Amino acid sequence: MTNPDYLALIRQAIDSEPTPPAHSASDIRVLDAALGLIGEYGERRLTIDEIASKARVARRTIFRRFGTKDALIALVYQREVSRAITQVVHAGDGSDGPVEALTASYCCLAEIAVNHPVIRRLARAEPEVLVELWRSGTPSGHEMICAVLESVVGRYHPSAAEKSALAEGCDLLGRLLLADELLASEQHDAGRRRQLVRRALDGLVAGQRAPS
C-alpha cells in the first residue's frame, strides 16, 4: 500500500492551499463505508463486496472509481489524516500565544485519536501495530505528530527560548499521544488532560526562562 505524503498534507493545512475537488456523494459513501468496516474488523477481512453493500453502490463502481482495494484504503487514510491535520493545526486559532495554541491543538488531536474507529480497534485488538506505526515510517508516526504540533508553535513566532522549550514539549506530547491511544477510554477526562498538558508546557517554558 502507498502511504499518503503526510508532510505535504501538513504543509497544505498550514498554508491553507486549495483543497482537491470534493468527492461525489457516492464516493463519500464508499470512503465512509470502508472506514467503518476497517474500524469494525481491520483491513485484512475487508472486501469490496461488503463496502459496496454498505455504501449502496455497485461493486464495479468501486473498481472504476478507486481501482484496487489497497488504493481505496490508502485514500481512506489520506482523507482521515488530512482532516485531522487541518483540525489540529487550526484548533488553537485565536489563542493568546504558542503555549495556549499548542495545548488546544494537542487536546484536539487526542480527542480525534482516542475516538477514531480505526485507532480504537487497533488499541483494543492490535496494540503492537499502533506502537509500530508510531515508531516506523518516513516520517514515523511520532515524527509526523511532532511536525504538526511544531507547525502550530511556529505560527506564533516564539522567542528562541520558547521555541526550544516547546520543541521539547512537542516531543513529549508525541509520546503522550501514544499512551492516550493505547489507554483510550470513553471515560477519559478531556478537561483534566487539558490542565495537565498546559501545566507541563508552562513548566518547560518557565524552565527555559529561568536563570542558569
Side-chain angles (χ1 to χ4, degrees), residues 75-90:
L75 188 56
V76 168
Y77 290 153
Q78 179 172 328
R79 183 184 69 155
E80 293 304 293
V81 169
S82 183
R83 281 176 169 177
I85 290 172
T86 299
Q87 290 178 50
V88 169
V89 167
H90 295 289

Side-chain angles (χ1 to χ4, degrees), residues 86-150:
T86 299
Q87 290 178 50
V88 169
V89 167
H90 295 289
D93 285 357
S95 294
D96 183 19
V99 172
E100 183 180 323
L102 184 55
T103 300
S105 289
Y106 176 78
C107 291
C108 172
L109 176 59
E111 286 299 313
I112 292 169
V114 301
N115 291 298
H116 195 278
V118 175
I119 294 175
R120 287 179 69 87
R121 192 198 72 81
L122 289 175
R124 181 183 69 251
E126 300 179 76
E128 70 282 358
V129 174
L130 271 183
V131 175
E132 186 61 23
L133 288 171
W134 183 83
R135 296 174 56 185
S136 64
T138 307
S140 67
H142 178 63
E143 289 169 339
M144 185 175 71
I145 293 162
C146 289
V148 173
L149 296 177
E150 286 171 6

Side-chain angles (χ1 to χ4, degrees), residues 4 6 16 24 35 41 60 71 79 89 99 105-106 112 116 121-122 140 146 157-159 170 179 182 184 195-196 205:
Y6 295 121
S16 299
S24 68
L35 174 65
Y41 45 70
R60 64 179 178 276
R79 183 184 69 155
V89 167
V99 172
S105 289
Y106 176 78
I112 292 169
H116 195 278
R121 192 198 72 81
L122 289 175
S140 67
C146 289
H157 308 291
S159 67
C170 290
L182 292 172
Q195 290 176 356
L196 291 174
V205 171

Side-chain angles (χ1 to χ4, degrees), residues 131-207:
V131 175
E132 186 61 23
L133 288 171
W134 183 83
R135 296 174 56 185
S136 64
T138 307
S140 67
H142 178 63
E143 289 169 339
M144 185 175 71
I145 293 162
C146 289
V148 173
L149 296 177
E150 286 171 6
S151 75
V152 172
V153 173
R155 297 174 76 201
Y156 288 82
H157 308 291
S159 67
E162 281 184 318
K163 187 174 182 180
S164 175
L166 293 176
E168 184 180 346
C170 290
D171 180 74
L172 175 65
L173 293 176
R175 298 173 192 280
L176 177 60
L177 184 68
L178 178 62
D180 264 334
E181 292 173 343
L182 292 172
L183 301 174
S185 168
E186 293 179 1
Q187 305 303 317
H188 196 96
D189 187 338
R192 177 65 173 162
R193 180 198 284 126
R194 181 178 291 270
Q195 290 176 356
L196 291 174
V197 169
R198 180 61 187 264
R199 188 179 305 161
L201 294 176
D202 280 337
L204 287 171
V205 171

